[in-house]
Amino acid sequence: MAQRVGGADVRVENLTAPGAEPHDLELTPRQVAGLATADLVIFQSGFQPAIDTAIPQASPKRTVDSASFLTLLAATDSDGRAGSAKDPHTWLAPSNLVTITEHVRDALIEARPAASQTFTANAAALIGELTTLDTDFRRGLATCAIRPFVTSHAAFGYLAHAYNLEQIAVRGLEPDTEPTAARIAEVQRLATANHVTTIFFETLVSPVVSESIAADLGLVTDVLDPIEGITADSRGTDYLEVMGSNLTALRKANQCS
Ligand SMILES: [Zn+2]
């Protein structure tokens, strides 16, 4: 969003390297120093502990914290129950990205008023694409034979909420924790009871558990990408493309017409 809205008038540096798993991000001293000198820092509090620690220390000139204006949903814990923690995976609902884009646009205009017209036009173009994506999801998932879908970790709560689907997550919010045998058994029971066709895995996490569940139940596996980092293995080169691939995968798995 920063690159699309800022265009040639900004220099964007990612705190999370492409392809790095973002939940357990660690910052280098240089990155922490950069927070203090940047014209704008875009982040989401409650997602990456290293950022939550560094921001108050660095006190950046200007921030956009998406957790300060989005409606956060309750997280699903590793037992599949709604917990007291908030789910950080806001970006998997395109409508949230529209809202964040508006805030990024306004913050960039404040930082660089001379480029106001460019930022406004760039933001409008991106919002148009995100709105089209949201419409594609809404229409594409309106009529599905199956509403639940099985994911590797509980990243898709916002997507499920936005499009009236139901997430069954093998793991909780943290992608790297290994699920218990009891949780795997429960996922298998739910998958069978709901006539699920596909066990989804993701590009940055080992597919071994997903493959084992699928093999036990005689189901197929496929990628549902939580877009926590785009690599050469991703099904697309940016958010819009990978979300398009996610829609295709969900429509197939959930038998949507
Ligand atoms: Zn995640």
Side-chain angles (χ1 to χ4, degrees):
M1 277 180 291
Q3 192 63 70
R4 282 286 309 264
V5 177
D9 290 291
V10 301
R11 196 184 79 231
V12 178
E13 285 186 25
N14 291 309
L15 294 169
T16 308
E21 206 290 303
H23 285 271
D24 47 14
L25 171 74
E26 290 179 25
L27 297 174
T28 64
R30 200 189 134 271
Q31 286 180 311
V32 175
L35 294 175
T37 54
D39 292 313
L40 172 63
V41 178
I42 302 166
F43 70 109
Q44 181 169 281
S45 57
F47 173 34
Q48 298 172 294
I51 303 272
D52 291 343
T53 304
I55 292 280
Q57 290 170 1
S59 60
K61 285 180 228 168
R62 213 170 271 105
T63 59
V64 167
D65 173 7
S66 50
S68 71
F69 50 82
L70 294 178
T71 304
L72 297 182
L73 300 176
T76 308
D77 68 16
S78 54
D79 295 325
R81 289 187 294 257
S84 55
K86 295 297 183 188
D87 183 349
H89 301 92
T90 53
W91 59 90
L92 290 167
S95 61
N96 281 339
L97 283 206
V98 169
T99 308
I100 302 171
T101 300
E102 292 167 347
H103 284 259
V104 169
R105 174 199 62 202
D106 294 348
L108 286 176
I109 289 173
E110 193 189 291
R112 206 134 190 232
S116 155
Q117 280 189 326
T118 306
F119 295 154
T120 302
N122 289 350
L126 178 57
I127 287 169
E129 288 178 57
L130 290 166
T131 304
T132 300
L133 180 71
D134 180 47
T135 304
D136 290 347
F137 265 82
R138 205 165 293 290
R139 290 192 183 139
L141 299 173
T143 311
C144 302
I146 304 161
R147 306 311 296 183
F149 60 104
V150 177
T151 67
S152 177
H153 86 287
F156 295 90
Y158 291 87
L159 190 154
H161 183 258
Y163 305 112
N164 193 29
L165 300 180
E166 185 193 330
Q167 171 177 242
I168 300 168
V170 175
R171 298 173 184 79
L173 283 184
E174 299 295 327
D176 292 335
T177 54
E178 281 314 301
T180 61
R183 180 59 191 161
I184 290 174
E186 175 67 0
V187 168
Q188 291 187 328
R189 189 189 69 73
L190 289 168
T192 302
N194 288 291
H195 309 288
V196 162
T197 66
T198 306
I199 305 298
F200 286 115
F201 64 99
E202 52 191 78
T203 47
L204 299 184
V205 176
S206 164
V208 168
V209 173
S210 306
E211 283 167 353
S212 146
I213 292 172
D216 284 351
L217 300 179
L219 304 178
V220 296
T221 59
D222 199 1
V223 170
L224 194 64
D225 194 328
I227 318 188
E228 299 193 344
I230 289 185
T231 70
D233 294 333
S234 303
R235 293 179 179 174
T237 58
D238 64 14
Y239 175 86
L240 293 157
E241 286 182 6
V242 178
M243 281 299 273
S245 299
N246 281 344
L247 176 57
T248 302
L250 276 170
R251 281 177 50 77
K252 183 172 177 218
N254 289 40
Q255 300 173 353
C256 309
S257 57

